[in-house]
Amino acid sequence: MKTLYLFGNLKMNLSMEELEDYFDSLKQVAGKSNNMVGVCVPYVYLPYAEEKLRGSRVLYGVQNMHELDGGAFTGEISAKMLADFDCDLVIIGHSERRIYYNETDEKVNLKAKKALDFGFTPIVCFGETEKQRKDLKHEEVVKNQLEKAIDGINKLDVKDIIFAYEPIWAIGTGVNATSEEAEKMIKYAKSIIAKKAKIKEDEIIMLYGGSLKPNNAEEILNMPSINGGLIGGACLDVDTFKQIIDIKAN
Ligand code: PGA
């Protein structure tokens, strides 16, 4: 049986009041599971996540960070600040950040390096648009994103990154990649990273994300190259998230 990495991305959802029950329930669910469970919260709730989840089986983190240690960057948060709250996980290069906030591959690379310097686990996201897939450019796009994301990162550190293949056409749309599509791309993506970092494919952890739900997760998560999931919509309710966390994959 493989251990799955099942990380929720709350995005800009839930309130402090809702999080009280959410964290308590998630701790219970994770406590009974052999899978690795984590949740990435909005920045302002990081202290509360630390208070409620530190020492439990639920890893916690945030959804972005700045690549520099400090300076005149209104509205930004540095790795040093996150370290004050014992943050475990940082999502980097989510497509919503790339699309709405102009996050480039170069920034993704700098942020991943900084997160690794601080001992956080970066969850580095990549994936193609619907048009790129239709034009049969998806492999080329992904190769380029990944090679730039890990540029200059030593092989030991690359093994500490968790990668997440999130086809943009599948995020929040209810249209998931089929298990075959996800497996094919993740296998390919692992081969690209293995080649560039000079490590073995089975030393790379890679998740699938994009409309992962209780009704499709079992099939997708059982695919041989897939190590887990990054879950948006379906993580907002712990009863729904539980149905994914409870999956036992071969
Ligand atoms: P979704 O989001 O599960 O709602 O599609 C996934 C993500 O954006 O990480």
Side-chain angles (χ1 to χ4, degrees):
M1 215 168 71
K2 67 179 174 188
T3 300
L4 296 169
Y5 296 76
L6 300 168
F7 297 153
N9 174 7
L10 294 183
K11 307 196 179 181
M12 198 170 70
N13 293 297
L14 302 189
S15 64
M16 182 93 168
E17 200 183 345
E18 290 167 319
L19 280 174
E20 185 178 358
D21 271 356
Y22 184 92
F23 288 148
D24 287 339
S25 311
L26 192 58
K27 262 198 292 199
Q28 281 196 5
V29 171
K32 292 187 194 128
S33 168
N34 289 323
N35 292 324
M36 298 273 284
V37 177
V39 62
C40 293
V41 303
Y43 287 134
V44 288
Y45 298 133
L46 184 62
Y48 193 45
E50 182 194 23
E51 183 189 320
K52 299 281 278 184
L53 301 176
R54 189 197 230 162
S56 79
R57 288 209 8 102
V58 183
L59 301 172
Y60 61 88
V62 294
Q63 304 162 18
N64 179 37
M65 56 169 237
H66 199 272
E67 66 276 17
L68 297 177
D69 287 334
F73 299 102
T74 302
E76 290 293 327
I77 303 282
S78 72
K80 208 160 155 243
M81 294 167 186
L82 300 177
D84 282 337
F85 301 96
D86 266 359
C87 181
D88 302 307
L89 309 167
V90 186
I91 298 176
I92 289 175
H94 189 283
S95 61
E96 286 152 15
R97 302 279 332 159
R98 292 180 189 253
I99 296 165
Y100 305 134
Y101 303 96
N102 216 4
E103 199 149 301
T104 59
D105 290 324
E106 288 70 27
K107 285 223 164 170
V108 169
N109 175 249
L110 292 174
K111 290 182 184 203
K113 284 176 177 157
K114 185 60 77 177
L116 288 162
D117 282 351
F118 275 80
F120 310 145
T121 299
I123 304 171
V124 172
C125 301
F126 65 97
E128 81 285 359
T129 63
E130 189 176 13
K131 176 154 193 328
Q132 289 162 340
R133 182 165 274 263
K134 281 210 174 106
D135 294 346
L136 300 179
K137 293 265 185 342
H138 47 301
E139 291 196 344
E140 185 186 323
V141 167
V142 159
K143 179 172 188 278
N144 189 41
Q145 286 175 339
L146 289 171
E147 285 180 346
K148 287 191 174 148
I150 62 167
D151 194 40
I153 301 181
N154 75 55
K155 59 164 93 176
L156 284 177
D157 281 348
V158 172
K159 293 184 205 173
D160 285 340
I161 297 175
I162 294 183
F163 296 89
Y165 169 53
E166 299 210 306
I168 293 168
W169 46 272
I171 296 178
T173 58
V175 182
N176 58 284
T178 64
S179 51
E180 289 79 18
E181 283 167 337
E183 167 66 19
K184 190 165 177 237
M185 182 57 102
I186 286 179
K187 197 169 167 28
Y188 171 75
K190 283 189 175 182
S191 76
I192 297 298
I193 295 167
K195 193 165 169 218
K196 176 146 173 96
K198 300 189 175 58
I199 57 177
K200 297 196 190 100
E201 285 173 31
D202 63 10
E203 293 177 307
I204 302 164
I205 299 172
M206 202 172 284
L207 318 180
Y208 168 77
S211 298
L212 198 65
K213 308 281 180 203
N215 66 357
N216 58 29
E218 182 137 19
E219 187 179 327
I220 293 174
L221 297 173
N222 266 297
M223 298 309 276
S225 306
I226 301 180
N227 303 103
L230 186 57
I231 301 139
C235 87
L236 296 178
D237 169 69
V238 177
D239 289 339
T240 309
F241 196 11
K242 177 181 186 301
Q243 294 175 53
I244 301 178
I245 293 170
D246 285 347
I247 290 173
K248 293 184 175 65
N250 295 313

